[in-house]
Amino acid sequence: MSTAGLVCNLSRCEEVNVLRACAALGSIVSSNPANQNLVAELDGVDAVLDAMAQFPDESQVQRHCSYALGWIADGQQANQQAIVDAGGMQRIFDS
């Protein structure tokens, strides 16, 4: 699946697929600034936050989505700000 496809489908997944999608997202963006920025540009932050909202009582989903946000943000100030602007920090604190 393409990066765009992964991001577009993340918020419409069943719980187990959200876990898999977050793991895949992590491998795509880990130590790869171009992919971190691409995922952010493709609304990946919103997709991850939507998945967190879809499964608020599932601790594994909350944890994996929080990791995914961290991978998107790692070393990328614009992505960090995008996560803050989208309410991501509050969502992480609430999870």
Side-chain angles (χ1 to χ4, degrees):
M1 176 178 290
S2 70
T3 303
L6 177 66
V7 169
C8 290
N9 290 316
L10 180 60
S11 63
R12 295 186 292 253
C13 291
E14 295 177 6
E15 177 186 352
V16 68
N17 291 329
V18 169
L19 300 176
R20 290 178 183 147
C22 285
L25 189 59
S27 68
I28 289 169
V29 301
S30 181
S31 301
N32 190 322
N35 283 348
Q36 288 171 292
N37 294 330
L38 177 61
V39 167
E41 290 169 15
L42 294 171
D43 296 325
V45 170
D46 289 333
V48 172
L49 293 174
D50 289 347
M52 292 178 84
Q54 185 177 352
F55 299 101
D57 298 324
E58 300 298 333
S59 62
Q60 282 190 315
V61 169
Q62 298 300 309
R63 184 173 44 254
H64 281 74
C65 287
S66 295
Y67 291 154
L69 291 172
W71 293 321
I72 294 167
D74 187 34
Q76 302 301 312
Q77 188 171 7
N79 295 351
Q80 294 165 8
Q81 190 62 52
I83 291 167
V84 170
D85 292 347
M89 295 307 298
Q90 189 63 48
R91 173 75 62 192
I92 291 168
F93 292 140
D94 291 344
S95 67

